[in-house]
Amino acid sequence: MKTNIGAVLTALALLSACVSGQKELGPDGRPLPTPYVIGPGDVSRVTYSMLDSINSVRAKGGLAPLTLNAQLTAAAATHSRDMAVQNRPWHFGSDGSSPILRVQRTGYPGKMLGENISETYENEIETLTAWMQVKSTRTVIVDPAAKDVGFAWYQEPSGKIWWTLVTGG
């Protein structure tokens, strides 16, 4: 009988932790990230949220707004998926392609200027904020020569998001 009461008390304690809003902890004792889920109906909202935020940042610096470009977005989407396949955030494709080559493959007529990447559970604004805090990624966003931008992501079933932003001019 004591075993059953102990099991019931343990189950109740676990349930109360879930109900109280406590997050599940990872092996390091820190709360596990809550995935930012992007559904099929969210694509335009997420894309234009990023574009509008980038252009707000650029406007505050006296820079011209960027125009969303389908070819740069295709290069970004290809790379986001490829980073997930490789399970690592880096600028080279699994086929050895560079950002410049990926942009050339899309037929983009301008020059590829920069690429920002991220592996995270954060939303697009948190990702942009993180990019703005690092000089090398901030430079891509506020490059005065940039005229066009492509932005895409791939979300794994686990919720992890692989973001890619490409600029051109």
Side-chain angles (χ1 to χ4, degrees), residues 47-66:
T47 300
Y48 287 99
S49 172
M50 178 62 92
L51 180 64
D52 292 345
S53 297
I54 288 169
N55 284 335
S56 291
V57 165
R58 289 178 61 85
K60 287 178 186 169
L63 299 168
L66 299 181

Side-chain angles (χ1 to χ4, degrees), residues 23-115:
K23 288 187 166 193
E24 186 178 349
L25 301 179
D28 60 359
R30 301 174 95 186
L32 292 173
T34 303
Y36 172 65
V37 179
I38 303 172
D42 296 326
V43 173
S44 290
R45 179 189 57 77
V46 171
T47 300
Y48 287 99
S49 172
M50 178 62 92
L51 180 64
D52 292 345
S53 297
I54 288 169
N55 284 335
S56 291
V57 165
R58 289 178 61 85
K60 287 178 186 169
L63 299 168
L66 299 181
T67 301
L68 188 63
N69 179 276
Q71 292 155 318
L72 294 178
T73 296
T78 297
H79 192 55
S80 290
R81 177 70 173 110
D82 191 48
M83 286 190 297
V85 169
Q86 296 181 72
N87 196 32
R88 64 178 170 175
W90 76 319
H91 293 282
F92 293 92
S94 56
D95 62 355
S97 62
S98 68
I100 293 169
L101 181 57
R102 286 191 299 276
V103 167
Q104 287 172 345
R105 287 176 180 168
T106 68
Y108 179 69
K111 178 181 177 185
M112 182 270 183
L113 297 174
E115 179 182 75

Side-chain angles (χ1 to χ4, degrees), residues 135-160:
K135 184 179 180 183
S136 61
T137 51
R138 180 178 55 247
T139 299
V140 171
I141 294 163
V142 297
D143 182 349
K147 304 291 181 230
D148 301 313
V149 66
F151 172 68
W153 62 90
Y154 175 77
Q155 186 162 34
E156 295 180 359
S158 69
K160 183 190 294 184

